[in-house]
Amino acid sequence: MTSDLIIIGSGPAGLTAAIYAARANLNPVVIAGTSWGGQLMTTTEVENYPGFIDGILGPELMERMLKQAEKFGAKIVYENATRIEKKEKFIVYTHQSQYFGKSVIVATGASPKKLGIKGEEEFWGKGVSSCATCDGAFFKNKVVAVIGGGDSAMEEATFLTRFASKVHIIHRKGEFRASKFMQERAKSNPKIEFILNSIVKEVQGETVVKNILIENVLSNESNNLTVDGVFLAIGHIPITDFLGNQIELTETGYIKSADGVKTSVEGVFVAGDVEDYKYRQAITAAGAGCKAALEAEKWLAGHV
Ligand code: NDP
């Protein structure tokens, strides 16, 4: 199948790019993935996406974006991109097929790293989260734990003190890799308490999180900590495996961009969390998807 534009990824970035590209008559093909929709498919209430006064469920928001893209003619294929090749055109391979495009937008996102412990999946979206900006407001006057020792952990913990009555930062080492400034800000916040040299072994609860099992790695002592929420801040993994070495990445594995959307390969654009390690919001990803589609459209106009 040949198209002007192939969009790889179907989160807010990919689907917004699809809406814009379809309305510009670029007949985009969206390689959506076998499990499409991105991170919002595993969230519950989204209260900060503009236009939804009473909030909207993450999967419903994605369903709406998908339908909107299809309404304007985007073709969605539920396959995983395995490889991309540049010949006369770009070829995107999936396990089942090959798609030919004059240009490509990579919007494959990033997966939050997980601990891989008992209860983590079961309570995902029911107290376990990887985004304080998204879910912090659900924890008014509650006790939460933030796992990690980097800048994200410090930033998320500090942000969560706006809502929570207490925030525990739990870190597996005795010192942090977070910048001095971020550490100091967290340390001077009276609502934040530190539990160091400790790992979380299990998340427990009923319908929602009730407590976590912690083990001190120096003493091997275990204890139960009562919390209402667990925020993972242990890093993200940008999804770029299928690109091989063809597009320049940053030291931390994100796609390197000029202007946020142009990659090192002409005709290949990027949008969303696979490029943006900082903001990671549905709305910023959607904005990036819009920008990437507009840039692709402009580029295609000069490369007929
Ligand atoms: P980082 O990779 O910097 O930190 C991850 C933290 O999680 C580390 O402390 C690490 O521990 C810990 N960790 C990793 N895996 C596990 C595990 N399985 N169990 C327990 N702990 C684990 O990620 P961040 O998201 O914090 O930051 C990513 C990048 O974004 C950095 O460059 C950061 O500076 C930047 N950033 C900047 C911000 C700002 O300037 N405002 C805000 C947020 C991020 P250990 O230290 O032992 O390896």
Side-chain angles (χ1 to χ4, degrees), residues 135-295:
D135 299 328
F138 299 122
F139 294 89
K140 232 169 229 152
N141 299 319
K142 308 247 172 172
V143 178
V144 298
V146 174
I147 323 295
D151 282 333
S152 292
M154 302 302 141
E155 189 168 78
E156 304 233 322
T158 305
F159 176 77
L160 285 165
T161 60
R162 294 185 193 185
F163 313 99
S165 54
K166 184 179 282 188
V167 179
H168 298 280
I169 294 182
I170 302 172
H171 183 37
R172 61 185 177 184
K173 289 188 183 142
E175 73 286 338
F176 301 105
R177 74 161 72 172
S179 61
K180 265 255 145 4
F181 173 76
M182 305 281 266
Q183 280 189 49
E184 288 314 319
R185 201 167 60 168
K187 282 177 183 165
S188 64
N189 190 315
K191 280 190 179 178
I192 297 179
E193 282 183 14
F194 294 88
I195 301 176
L196 301 181
N197 299 306
S198 297
I199 55 173
V200 180
K201 301 282 278 187
E202 188 177 337
V203 180
Q204 298 172 337
E206 283 155 27
T207 48
V208 293
V209 170
K210 292 263 187 260
N211 58 281
I212 51 180
L213 199 61
I214 300 174
E215 185 182 289
N216 184 301
V217 292
L218 302 180
S219 65
N220 291 330
E221 260 174 49
S222 293
N223 69 299
N224 251 316
L225 184 71
T226 304
V227 294
D228 304 289
V230 180
F231 286 84
L232 303 185
I234 59 173
H236 283 72
I237 306 169
I239 300 165
T240 56
D241 286 0
F242 67 98
L243 294 171
N245 296 323
Q246 301 179 85
I247 292 179
E248 212 178 320
L249 304 180
T250 66
E251 266 174 24
T252 47
Y254 288 82
I255 293 180
K256 209 171 195 172
S257 76
D259 302 344
V261 290
K262 289 180 190 153
T263 71
S264 59
V265 177
E266 242 205 274
V268 179
F269 302 87
V270 63
D273 290 13
V274 70
E275 183 274 338
D276 171 21
Y277 66 86
K278 191 167 177 197
Y279 297 106
R280 299 188 196 119
Q281 300 301 299
I283 188 66
T284 50
C290 161
K291 286 199 254 179
L294 294 176
E295 286 298 333

Side-chain angles (χ1 to χ4, degrees), residues 51-107:
F52 298 94
I53 301 160
D54 301 317
I56 181 165
L57 292 173
E60 192 189 336
L61 180 58
M62 296 321 299
E63 193 85 44
R64 283 172 178 241
M65 288 191 200
L66 186 89
K67 287 198 173 127
Q68 197 176 352
E70 281 183 318
K71 177 180 134 182
F72 294 114
K75 178 161 176 46
I76 315 286
V77 295
Y78 298 92
E79 298 169 15
N80 294 327
T82 53
R83 191 157 66 88
I84 173 168
E85 195 179 351
K86 186 175 189 305
K87 289 204 168 153
E88 212 173 289
K89 288 189 172 147
F90 293 100
I91 311 170
V92 178
Y93 294 85
T94 68
H95 289 295
Q96 297 86 344
S97 197
Q98 299 173 15
Y99 298 88
F100 295 83
K102 291 182 194 162
S103 62
V104 174
I105 293 176
V106 180

